[in-house]
Amino acid sequence: MLYGLADCNNFFVSCERVFNPSLEGRAVVVLSNNDGCVISRSNEAKALGIPMGCPTFQIKDYTDPRQVVIISANHVLYRDMSHRVMSVIGETFDAIEIYSVDEAFFRLPYPDDDVRNRELAAAVVRKIFKYTGIPVSIGVARSRTLAKIASHMAKKDPTNKSRVQVLTDASQIADVLSRTDLSDVWGIGRRLTVSLASRGIRTAAQFAALPPSMVRSLFSVTVERTLMELRGEDCQPVSPVTMARKSIMNSRTFPKVFYRREDVADAVLTFAEMCAKHLRDEHSVASTLTVYVRGDYHREDLPFYSNSCKVRIPSPSSSTMVLVHCAMQALNSIFRRGYAYRKAGVMVTDLQPESGFQPSLFSQVDEQKHSKLMKAVDKINNMAGAKVVKLAPQVSAEAARPQRNYTAGRDEAIRFYSAPPKG
DNA sequence: TCTGGGGTCCTAGGACCC
DNA sequence: TCTGGGGTCCTAGGACCC
């Protein structure tokens, strides 16, 4: 079996460049939500030494604004571009596994013919660029972990015009691994890097030579798998069928700390509503909901508090009303007066398809009615292009603090709770 | 002063059962 | 009442990813 990994180069920056060609050749960075830190950099920005995850205030300090173009993220655009890239890949290759917004694994059709695989992959790179404007690199190898390393090689080698790297030759793999820092291996993070370095293990080759059983007992089965993958063994057979999403989360860091329950509740309510909408968009329902709240790590002058509460949803649901109700219950059980809150989030788990789940016999909620109501709300909101229909508690919370902005595009609201408007 | 948001998987340990 | 091994299930927390 041969795996390919298609990886979009500097994806968010590349998306911005498609729609604004004047950004070509310039140092460009894209910032996270709330403009907190850098999440994508052009090659020119990397050359300036701006690190990934760099806090925004630092680049504002040391760069000339004419030198670096700083852009707030537009995730709707990136998702759309991602769909286009993935559909081109899917037209050519089987068993595509979309790993992230800018990466996908797939199977190569010729297990023993590197030349044909390379030609096919190179054709896809050209096709993606032609149809979407996004530059992509492809790595090919016998495991996903090695394919990752190969795609990284393709990206970093300026003489490789095809942007495809096939890494199947044993002596070439050995050579590459001996020059690869352990920290650059997929699955080896900061903790493991430190821990292994203290044992004298610094390169991918040194790591791959360790006894697998020792690595397993020292760390975990996941780390052992990474080791075997570096040896060319495929240890993560994931079928695309089983790749259904397992949770949906919405969370934000607040612009400042909140003390009042109403402020935190306002945010939690919005996150629950976003989860519900997301579930409905995916035709899923959830059985559990978790709310978490957290203080500010960086404020040593404030007492730190962090807690979460998981509640079972009486009958699996994607109804905004049900989820908001559960979220408020959960929040009530963990909110403590007197602490400063800097972040909150809502997560829904135990997801299942909307069709085919058995409503609980003891459910207090008429799921069918809710479902119809929610579809109507979504339809109105989709047509209006903004959230004109919301739950009454949301409206009142916002009316008190209209400046709050967790989601884009909230305009005036129609009061609307459990009964549809007459006429 | 200032560091995102959304995910997955694994393990240890407690509760409970036979 | 005490004692023991072995098993399952659940949850919190850690580590990793982009």
Side-chain angles (χ1 to χ4, degrees):
Chain A
M1 181 74 75
L2 271 181
Y3 288 98
L5 172 67
D7 192 347
C8 300
N9 302 344
N10 312 331
F11 183 55
F12 298 164
V13 167
S14 296
C15 290
E16 297 290 344
R17 281 177 168 172
V18 169
F19 294 94
N20 183 357
S22 74
L23 298 174
E24 286 297 338
R26 303 175 67 183
V28 182
V29 300
V30 172
L31 303 180
S32 63
N33 280 8
N34 293 344
D35 291 347
C37 65
V38 172
I39 55 172
S40 183
R41 307 159 294 158
S42 69
N43 289 341
E44 296 79 5
K46 290 176 189 175
L48 285 176
I50 299 173
M52 188 68 166
C54 175
T56 304
F57 73 92
Q58 283 181 6
I59 49 172
K60 285 193 170 139
D61 272 1
Y62 81 77
T63 56
D64 180 340
R66 287 165 304 180
Q67 208 184 349
V68 178
V69 183
I70 300 172
I71 300 172
S72 294
N74 177 355
H75 289 288
V76 175
L77 168 68
Y78 310 150
R79 257 200 303 281
D80 179 60
M81 294 300 284
S82 175
H83 287 316
R84 296 192 212 180
V85 170
M86 298 307 169
S87 70
V88 176
I89 298 171
E91 283 168 14
T92 309
F93 294 111
D94 289 333
I96 172 168
E97 296 162 13
I98 297 171
Y99 176 69
S100 71
V101 71
D102 70 334
E103 279 172 282
F105 291 103
F106 51 85
R107 310 284 159 80
L108 275 299
Y110 311 112
D112 298 308
D113 193 336
D114 284 354
V115 176
R116 288 177 82 183
N117 284 329
R118 187 180 290 115
E119 281 171 1
L120 190 59
V124 169
V125 169
R126 289 193 298 271
K127 193 171 168 188
I128 292 170
F129 191 71
K130 182 177 167 192
Y131 288 179
T132 70
I134 300 292
V136 170
S137 303
I138 291 183
V140 175
R142 301 213 180 277
S143 68
R144 291 176 181 76
T145 306
L146 285 175
K148 273 276 208 186
I149 291 176
S151 81
H152 193 247
M153 290 166 69
K155 197 179 286 193
K156 296 292 159 193
D157 180 2
T159 68
N160 185 342
K161 299 298 178 200
S162 72
R163 294 218 190 89
V164 175
Q165 176 69 50
V166 177
L167 188 59
T168 51
D169 177 73
S171 63
Q172 190 189 11
I173 292 172
D175 177 54
V176 169
L177 294 190
S178 71
R179 290 184 284 110
T180 300
D181 277 349
L182 193 51
S183 59
D184 291 336
V185 172
W186 187 42
I188 308 291
R190 269 199 6 247
R191 297 294 181 119
L192 284 166
T193 301
V194 170
S195 175
L196 284 156
S198 74
R199 295 170 165 86
I201 309 295
R202 291 197 166 75
T203 68
Q206 288 173 323
F207 175 66
L210 292 173
S213 57
M214 185 191 89
V215 167
R216 183 183 192 141
S217 62
L218 225 46
F219 304 104
S220 74
V221 66
T222 332
V223 187
E224 184 195 24
R225 276 185 208 140
T226 296
L227 185 156
M228 296 310 291
E229 289 241 327
L230 287 176
R231 294 184 181 184
E233 241 178 73
D234 171 24
C235 300
Q236 301 167 51
V238 180
S239 77
V241 186
T242 64
M243 287 190 58
R245 181 198 300 281
K246 298 188 173 153
S247 65
I248 291 171
M249 174 141 85
N250 279 284
S251 67
R252 291 287 182 283
T253 301
F254 308 137
K256 56 174 187 156
V257 295
F258 289 152
Y259 292 89
R260 304 192 314 163
R261 179 195 294 264
E262 306 91 272
D263 289 317
V264 180
D266 184 12
V268 166
L269 195 147
T270 301
F271 302 148
E273 181 215 35
M274 290 160 79
C275 286
K277 175 69 165 60
H278 197 149
L279 282 168
R280 297 197 292 274
D281 286 346
E282 299 206 341
H283 304 289
S284 299
V285 290
S287 308
T288 47
L289 179 147
T290 305
V291 172
Y292 76 90
V293 294
R294 211 189 65 193
D296 190 335
Y297 290 137
H298 308 288
R299 293 282 297 272
E300 287 180 8
D301 56 320
L302 298 173
F304 185 79
Y305 174 67
S306 156
N307 206 346
S308 69
C309 175
K310 188 170 175 175
V311 294
R312 183 149 287 278
I313 301 169
S315 174
S317 180
S318 61
S319 157
T320 301
M321 285 174 274
V322 172
L323 266 56
V324 163
H325 178 74
C326 291
M328 288 301 118
Q329 265 187 332
L331 178 65
N332 285 342
S333 76
I334 55 175
F335 186 89
R336 302 279 180 274
R337 199 161 292 281
Y339 287 102
Y341 296 88
R342 188 69 203 282
K343 186 174 182 179
V346 173
M347 178 164 59
V348 288
T349 39
D350 294 334
L351 309 187
Q352 51 187 305
E354 172 182 61
S355 57
F357 90 87
Q358 287 292 324
S360 160
L361 286 174
F362 308 104
S363 170
Q364 305 276 312
V365 174
D366 185 336
E367 274 299 323
Q368 285 197 334
K369 268 192 188 167
H370 266 215
S371 173
K372 277 188 189 164
L373 175 58
M374 285 299 129
K375 280 191 179 122
V377 169
D378 289 343
K379 199 169 173 186
I380 295 169
N381 283 339
N382 286 340
M383 282 192 315
K387 301 212 267 182
V388 295
V389 181
K390 308 179 213 182
L391 286 183
Q394 268 173 288
V395 178
S396 52
E398 278 169 28
R401 288 169 298 282
Q403 79 282 6
R404 194 87 72 249
N405 183 28
Y406 301 112
T407 57
R410 6 186 79 206
D411 300 317
E412 66 276 42
I414 299 169
R415 275 177 187 268
F416 183 34
Y417 186 49
S418 57
K422 297 269 191 284

